[in-house]
Amino acid sequence: ASPSGSFFGHLLVIPMDGSHWMDLKAVAEEIGRRGHQVTVVIPEVSVRMGPGKHYKTLTYPVPYDKERIDSLLSMHMDVLRQSTQFAPISYFTSVPLQSFLFLSLQHFDAVLTDPMVPTGSLIARKLGLPTVNLLRVIPCGLDTKSAACPAPPSYVPRFFTKFTDKMNFWQRVINTLVSTDSLQPLLCRLFYWHFDHIAYQFLGEEVGVAEVLSESAIWLLRTDSILDFPRPLMPNMVFVGGISCNIRNPLPQDLESWVSGEHGFVVFTLGTAVSVLPEEITAVLLEAFRQIPQKVIWRYTGPVPDDVPENVKMMEWVPQNELLAHHGVRAFITHAGSHGLYEGLCHAVPMVMMPLGGDQPDNAQRMASRGVGVVLDITTITVETLLQGLNDVINNSSYKESVEKLSAFHKDRPFDPLELSVYWTEFVMRHKGATHLRAAAHDLNWVQYHCLDVLALLATVVLLVVMVTMRCMRLCLRKLSRKRKQD
Amino acid sequence: ASPSGSFFGHLLVIPMDGSHWMDLKAVAEEIGRRGHQVTVVIPEVSVRMGPGKHYKTLTYPVPYDKERIDSLLSMHMDVLRQSTQFAPISYFTSVPLQSFLFLSLQHFDAVLTDPMVPTGSLIARKLGLPTVNLLRVIPCGLDTKSAACPAPPSYVPRFFTKFTDKMNFWQRVINTLVSTDSLQPLLCRLFYWHFDHIAYQFLGEEVGVAEVLSESAIWLLRTDSILDFPRPLMPNMVFVGGISCNIRNPLPQDLESWVSGEHGFVVFTLGTAVSVLPEEITAVLLEAFRQIPQKVIWRYTGPVPDDVPENVKMMEWVPQNELLAHHGVRAFITHAGSHGLYEGLCHAVPMVMMPLGGDQPDNAQRMASRGVGVVLDITTITVETLLQGLNDVINNSSYKESVEKLSAFHKDRPFDPLELSVYWTEFVMRHKGATHLRAAAHDLNWVQYHCLDVLALLATVVLLVVMVTMRCMRLCLRKLSRKRKQD
């Protein structure tokens, strides 16, 4: 049904680092491969961002070096309880946005960006370009707010609460308190106060990040009704969870032969945001792995300890998706980042989830509530709890059955998520926006949207009617009693 | 991405008559063509329903004949102001549902139905089968209610109001009054009280139509963000507006040569629900047509008058979609049924809309607000108003430009609506439902859904805090004043 092919445009991509980069890169590559011009703007120093086959990169200088980033990513016991997810944000904001204005010398048709760091959105507004957002979520709710999407707190759990879509009364109380115009907007203000300031300075108009984001043409959400729960969507919100699942190379021969064996193997990764773990935790994990019959492939970039058991292989990088697709895989130990979860889900691998921060604790609870795995706290982990968790997901068939059922649902969709992302990005390039999908809700203020003015009027009318009726009745009664007295 | 091909199931189709039949038939045919078994249950007597190439039909007797239906459809001046759309409903309900129980002897995987007449939904529940709904809308709002879909009255116009998504204060007052738990539920009760009774009798449980419909697996909506305005959707609601547009045969040779000419031609149809018009109106229409240079093809099943102008051709049946696709078409006079509108939209033909009833007055206003045509009242039409309307849409280029832009939006979608309908129907057959798309909102009652219990608690807490604070302050003040007196 796509009318593409005849139109070739120029896409500006302003990505975010870390795992956020992966799907953006896939979409940029595919759009470039289809013949469009694609320009990706990245900092000179980054964790993962870099050149590709089908797009051009423009780099800009940053006031920090690779070592600083690496040190942020090596995890120590004292920072383990905090999230490191937001570290890159504070870095990115230190880049003067004015340095991007040379982009106005080129012609672009649209901007593709991850609005969690709204740099791309601000530049798009400055250049007068329509925006396509590709993101997992903005946990403070700025995404649903800016998309004017209803999210009833009675069954749409807020992030950081770890609730599911089935809440008891007290959970609904908390969820309502978090979501109504109190805690979530406060959180957003906290996350984005710096950007609100930048927006004002850079754009020269009285506008905040929320308003800039509300101009977005399309929201490509790296989720679906399986990772999140079924909830209302707006017509310009599109689920594209699970892009990376189909991007797969053959497994290297040496790894293929190492993982083969009658007991199968376990894949263990904690995502890009974590490379080195505290020694105490590493020791606990290794001890547990020593006691299981499965082999374990562990992505670990720190120095390898001396006493690594024979069934454990620690590697600086692992082909995660390829390993999870292998028939011998028995379990997946993951930090519950959305990419990992989707790869586990795609290949129907039961999971032991050890969330670290950001959206991960919520992701983990959501998946656990579906029966596809167990959640462990890495800061208090013991050999026993890990062994118990691994034993559960490997030997209790209910986990495997649940994940197989969900996997079938997840993969049974009319359109591949990468193709869908590319389709809507091309759509915005072709039509210079997607105005027909923009809800009139955006033109209403808070009072109008909730019809509070209407309710006030109706309440006043009811009150007046009640008052007039009562006054009339009183008058009648008085007259009646007076008459009786006279009689 | 479709995993079909390996699975072949059996689909039960319980359709609705009139224009509702068209898309249901197209989906039934396509599913049968793909190798599934498809059984369509139709009454012995109907307006349009009948056998197809790729499905089996089962007919059941009805207590009325073809003549009664025909007489309902021939329109006279006195009934023109009322809608005839709901006539078939009252007929359909007179069929005893018990007579369908023989269906339980066969194995089906799912039911495809139009829930405006909820017979199919009741049978599906009785047989324990998942349901796919294919419908334009249930104007009293039962569709959004049963799908647990939010529809803020501030920008989602209700049917029968003729409002657009941009409402002023007073329109919002009316829209709120219509939509809140007052008028719309009352309308639904009026439309469906008979079915609520049938549901109770037939199913032997305390259940109403709303509850039965809320079990639906998928809602295929014959609309999109162009005919309706952008509004929230649930994940199991899918837009499939415009199915018939791509179902096209070559234009018959004699018609092809008749319509050719330098001034082009106008297509005029009023849908299946109307066949004969009052003589007074026919005379007005003919007189107007006599005065335009374009030729006019008019679908008209009544007796052809003597004084038909040379440029007018009255035919019992016209290949509407094929004519609208012709390069010579200049305008489309339509009753603004959704099928006609989508065919006009698909081929970018500006329209003169003369709505008769049902969803048509709202459809017409919505399309007119997009600038693709004008709305006329057929009951008060004059030669002048019709000439003015035709002149506007034919010679004022803004109508053509608007409809071309909307047409481009409408047709630029990742999936053909027929394919999408078939995909989700097959999905429900494959998985015996779509449980992963079912929102937890369905498990909440009205108070819980709106968190009124939570708000009551919070209000109580605030009230208590205020009262305790005031009591404390009063006590303190009293003590203070007493102390002063003692001093």
Side-chain angles (χ1 to χ4, degrees):
Chain A
S2 161
S4 73
S6 52
F7 169 82
F8 295 106
H10 192 174
L11 181 69
L12 175 61
V13 182
I14 301 176
M16 223 184 117
D17 207 349
S19 62
H20 295 246
W21 163 246
M22 294 167 64
D23 289 352
L24 262 178
K25 181 185 176 176
V27 176
E29 282 278 47
E30 179 59 19
I31 288 179
R33 200 191 61 74
R34 293 187 182 194
H36 300 280
Q37 225 184 312
V38 178
T39 301
V40 184
V41 184
I42 53 175
E44 271 176 2
V45 176
S46 81
V47 185
R48 305 187 72 164
M49 296 188 282
K53 208 168 151 191
H54 299 292
Y55 58 80
K56 197 174 70 181
T57 53
L58 283 177
T59 58
Y60 58 89
V62 283
Y64 49 86
D65 57 10
K66 185 89 175 117
E67 269 182 18
R68 182 77 192 98
I69 287 187
D70 285 347
S71 77
L72 263 174
L73 295 182
S74 75
M75 248 193 180
H76 296 285
M77 203 59 194
D78 51 335
V79 294
L80 205 53
R81 281 196 182 81
Q82 306 166 341
S83 162
T84 55
Q85 301 292 309
F86 296 112
I89 292 188
S90 52
Y91 276 96
F92 208 32
T93 59
S94 56
V95 180
L97 275 178
Q98 307 296 340
S99 66
F100 288 101
L101 283 183
F102 71 94
L103 292 170
S104 63
L105 300 177
Q106 293 187 49
H107 170 81
F108 297 105
D109 297 288
V111 172
L112 174 66
T113 190
D114 187 324
M116 177 123 162
V117 172
T119 321
S121 312
L122 297 183
I123 292 170
R125 188 176 175 109
K126 188 80 176 179
L127 302 183
L129 294 171
T131 317
V132 178
N133 295 327
L134 180 66
L135 72 159
R136 160 75 182 100
V137 73
I138 302 182
C140 71
L142 196 65
D143 47 353
T144 29
K145 190 191 163 193
S146 294
C149 181
S154 48
Y155 72 98
V156 181
R158 294 317 191 248
F159 274 84
F160 307 128
T161 62
K162 298 195 215 165
F163 296 154
T164 71
D165 58 345
K166 286 175 181 61
M167 291 174 261
N168 62 32
F169 176 72
W170 293 108
Q171 289 175 325
R172 280 195 292 116
V173 170
I174 294 170
N175 205 49
T176 304
L177 280 175
V178 170
S179 60
T180 48
D181 292 63
S182 50
L183 213 63
Q184 274 204 331
L186 255 167
L187 265 178
C188 281
R189 202 139 275 231
L190 210 71
F191 284 171
Y192 291 105
W193 70 269
H194 189 60
F195 276 105
D196 279 332
H197 184 65
I198 290 180
Y200 175 64
Q201 279 196 317
F202 177 59
L203 299 171
E205 43 175 336
E206 278 287 358
V207 70
V209 170
E211 201 182 328
V212 172
L213 290 189
S214 80
E215 295 287 325
S216 308
I218 295 285
W219 295 80
L220 302 172
L221 303 173
R222 297 193 277 106
T223 181
D224 60 8
S225 295
I226 288 165
L227 176 54
D228 289 337
F229 301 102
R231 60 181 171 98
L233 288 173
M234 295 305 284
N236 64 343
M237 295 166 94
V238 183
F239 283 150
V240 296
I243 286 181
S244 56
C245 173
N246 292 327
I247 305 168
R248 210 154 70 221
N249 299 309
L251 202 59
Q253 196 51 53
D254 56 331
L255 217 54
E256 170 77 49
S257 53
W258 192 82
V259 297
S260 299
E262 59 169 327
H263 296 295
F265 65 98
V266 172
V267 181
F268 177 21
T269 67
L270 290 178
T272 22
V274 181
S275 48
V276 186
L277 280 174
E279 268 176 40
E280 313 89 277
I281 295 182
T282 311
V284 166
L285 299 172
L286 284 176
E287 187 48 42
F289 294 153
R290 195 189 307 278
Q291 300 182 29
I292 61 171
Q294 286 82 20
K295 290 176 179 170
V296 178
I297 297 203
W298 182 350
R299 179 189 175 268
Y300 190 88
T301 56
V304 174
D306 299 329
D307 57 340
V308 175
E310 254 189 32
N311 66 331
V312 177
K313 197 181 183 80
M314 291 168 104
M315 298 170 72
E316 288 232 348
W317 180 84
V318 301
Q320 175 176 296
N321 194 36
E322 289 76 1
L323 284 169
L324 291 171
H326 193 279
H327 63 90
V329 69
R330 294 285 177 275
F332 179 28
I333 309 177
T334 169
H335 64 306
S338 63
H339 280 99
L341 290 183
Y342 271 119
E343 289 178 5
L345 198 59
C346 174
H347 306 299
V349 185
M351 303 176 228
V352 173
M353 292 170 282
M354 304 197 289
L356 299 169
D359 58 335
Q360 298 156 13
D362 290 281
N363 292 344
Q365 285 304 333
R366 287 167 193 207
M367 294 309 284
S369 79
R370 309 276 195 163
V372 305
V374 296
V375 186
L376 297 179
D377 181 352
I378 196 172
T379 60
T380 60
I381 205 160
T382 64
V383 175
E384 289 71 36
T385 53
L386 181 53
L387 279 177
Q388 181 65 47
L390 279 171
N391 185 51
D392 279 353
V393 302
I394 293 173
N395 298 319
N396 180 342
S397 64
S398 83
Y399 292 98
K400 182 70 180 169
E401 282 160 20
S402 296
V403 79
E404 273 178 342
K405 194 176 166 192
L406 274 193
S407 181
F409 279 147
H410 166 65
K411 287 189 285 187
D412 194 347
R413 57 202 163 193
F415 225 74
D416 173 79
L418 178 60
E419 298 239 342
L420 202 56
S421 306
V422 169
Y423 188 93
W424 283 112
T425 308
E426 284 187 317
F427 184 101
V428 171
M429 291 166 72
R430 270 196 294 275
H431 299 281
K432 319 287 175 245
T435 46
H436 69 307
L437 300 180
R438 185 174 174 77
H442 290 288
D443 308 326
L444 302 172
N445 61 38
W446 190 78
V447 169
Q448 291 169 328
Y449 178 87
H450 293 285
C451 276
L452 298 183
D453 48 355
V454 172
L455 294 179
L457 176 82
L458 297 180
T460 311
V461 168
V462 169
L463 210 72
L464 275 177
V465 168
V466 168
M467 275 168 62
V468 168
T469 315
M470 279 176 66
R471 176 72 53 104
C472 285
M473 280 172 67
R474 208 179 289 171
L475 268 172
C476 291
L477 280 174
R478 211 175 288 171
K479 272 197 181 166
L480 216 72
S481 60
R482 226 177 270 169
K483 215 179 169 191
R484 269 194 198 156
K485 273 183 192 170
Q486 289 173 349
D487 292 344
Chain B
S2 162
S4 72
S6 51
F7 169 82
F8 294 106
H10 192 174
L11 181 70
L12 175 63
V13 182
I14 301 174
M16 223 183 116
D17 208 349
S19 61
H20 295 246
W21 163 245
M22 294 167 64
D23 289 352
L24 262 177
K25 180 183 178 180
V27 176
E29 281 278 46
E30 180 59 22
I31 288 179
R33 201 191 60 75
R34 293 189 182 192
H36 301 281
Q37 224 183 313
V38 178
T39 301
V40 183
V41 183
I42 54 175
E44 270 175 2
V45 176
S46 81
V47 184
R48 306 186 71 166
M49 295 187 283
K53 207 168 151 191
H54 299 292
Y55 58 81
K56 197 173 71 180
T57 53
L58 283 177
T59 59
Y60 58 89
V62 283
Y64 50 87
D65 57 12
K66 186 89 176 117
E67 269 182 19
R68 181 79 192 95
I69 287 187
D70 285 346
S71 77
L72 263 175
L73 295 182
S74 77
M75 250 196 179
H76 297 285
M77 203 60 194
D78 51 335
V79 294
L80 205 52
R81 281 194 183 80
Q82 304 167 341
S83 163
T84 55
Q85 301 293 308
F86 296 112
I89 291 187
S90 53
Y91 275 96
F92 206 34
T93 58
S94 56
V95 179
L97 274 179
Q98 306 297 339
S99 66
F100 288 99
L101 283 183
F102 72 93
L103 291 170
S104 63
L105 299 177
Q106 293 187 49
H107 169 82
F108 296 104
D109 297 288
V111 171
L112 174 66
T113 190
D114 187 324
M116 177 125 162
V117 172
T119 322
S121 312
L122 297 182
I123 292 169
R125 188 176 173 109
K126 187 80 176 180
L127 303 183
L129 294 172
T131 319
V132 178
N133 295 326
L134 180 67
L135 73 157
R136 160 76 183 99
V137 72
I138 302 180
C140 71
L142 197 66
D143 46 355
T144 28
K145 191 191 162 192
S146 294
C149 181
S154 48
Y155 72 98
V156 182
R158 294 316 193 247
F159 274 86
F160 306 127
T161 63
K162 298 196 216 164
F163 296 155
T164 71
D165 58 347
K166 286 173 183 61
M167 291 175 261
N168 63 32
F169 176 73
W170 294 109
Q171 288 175 326
R172 279 195 291 118
V173 170
I174 294 170
N175 204 50
T176 304
L177 280 175
V178 169
S179 59
T180 47
D181 292 62
S182 50
L183 213 64
Q184 274 205 332
L186 253 167
L187 265 178
C188 280
R189 200 139 276 229
L190 211 70
F191 284 171
Y192 290 106
W193 71 269
H194 188 60
F195 276 106
D196 279 332
H197 183 66
I198 290 180
Y200 175 65
Q201 279 196 318
F202 178 59
L203 299 171
E205 44 176 335
E206 278 286 359
V207 70
V209 170
E211 199 182 329
V212 171
L213 289 189
S214 81
E215 296 286 326
S216 308
I218 296 284
W219 296 81
L220 302 172
L221 303 172
R222 297 192 278 105
T223 182
D224 60 10
S225 295
I226 288 164
L227 176 54
D228 290 337
F229 301 101
R231 59 180 172 99
L233 290 172
M234 296 305 284
N236 64 344
M237 295 167 94
V238 183
F239 282 149
V240 297
I243 286 181
S244 55
C245 175
N246 293 327
I247 304 168
R248 210 153 72 219
N249 299 310
L251 201 60
Q253 196 50 52
D254 56 331
L255 217 53
E256 169 77 48
S257 53
W258 191 81
V259 296
S260 298
E262 58 169 327
H263 296 295
F265 65 97
V266 172
V267 180
F268 177 22
T269 66
L270 290 178
T272 22
V274 181
S275 49
V276 186
L277 279 175
E279 267 176 42
E280 313 89 276
I281 294 182
T282 310
V284 167
L285 299 172
L286 284 176
E287 186 48 41
F289 294 153
R290 193 189 309 276
Q291 299 182 29
I292 61 170
Q294 286 80 22
K295 290 177 177 170
V296 178
I297 298 202
W298 182 351
R299 180 191 174 267
Y300 189 89
T301 56
V304 175
D306 298 329
D307 57 341
V308 176
E310 254 188 30
N311 65 330
V312 177
K313 196 180 183 81
M314 292 169 103
M315 300 170 73
E316 288 232 350
W317 179 85
V318 299
Q320 175 175 295
N321 194 36
E322 289 76 1
L323 283 169
L324 292 172
H326 193 280
H327 62 91
V329 69
R330 292 286 179 275
F332 179 28
I333 310 177
T334 169
H335 64 306
S338 63
H339 279 99
L341 290 184
Y342 271 119
E343 290 178 5
L345 197 60
C346 173
H347 306 300
V349 185
M351 304 177 227
V352 172
M353 293 171 281
M354 304 199 288
L356 300 167
D359 59 335
Q360 298 156 13
D362 290 280
N363 292 344
Q365 286 304 334
R366 287 168 193 206
M367 293 309 282
S369 78
R370 310 275 195 164
V372 305
V374 296
V375 186
L376 297 179
D377 181 352
I378 197 171
T379 61
T380 60
I381 205 159
T382 64
V383 175
E384 289 71 37
T385 52
L386 181 53
L387 279 177
Q388 182 65 46
L390 279 171
N391 185 52
D392 280 350
V393 302
I394 293 173
N395 297 318
N396 181 340
S397 63
S398 82
Y399 292 98
K400 181 71 181 171
E401 281 159 21
S402 296
V403 78
E404 273 178 343
K405 194 177 165 193
L406 275 191
S407 181
F409 279 148
H410 167 64
K411 287 189 286 187
D412 194 346
R413 56 201 165 194
F415 225 74
D416 173 81
L418 177 60
E419 298 239 342
L420 202 56
S421 307
V422 169
Y423 188 93
W424 284 111
T425 309
E426 284 187 318
F427 184 102
V428 171
M429 291 166 73
R430 269 195 296 277
H431 298 282
K432 318 288 173 246
T435 46
H436 69 306
L437 299 181
R438 185 175 173 75
H442 290 289
D443 307 326
L444 302 173
N445 62 37
W446 190 78
V447 169
Q448 291 168 328
Y449 178 87
H450 293 285
C451 276
L452 298 182
D453 47 356
V454 171
L455 295 179
L457 176 80
L458 297 180
T460 311
V461 168
V462 168
L463 211 72
L464 276 177
V465 168
V466 169
M467 276 168 61
V468 168
T469 313
M470 280 176 63
R471 175 72 54 103
C472 284
M473 280 170 67
R474 208 180 290 172
L475 268 173
C476 291
L477 280 173
R478 209 177 290 171
K479 272 198 180 166
L480 215 70
S481 61
R482 224 178 273 169
K483 216 179 169 192
R484 270 192 198 157
K485 273 184 193 170
Q486 286 173 353
D487 292 347

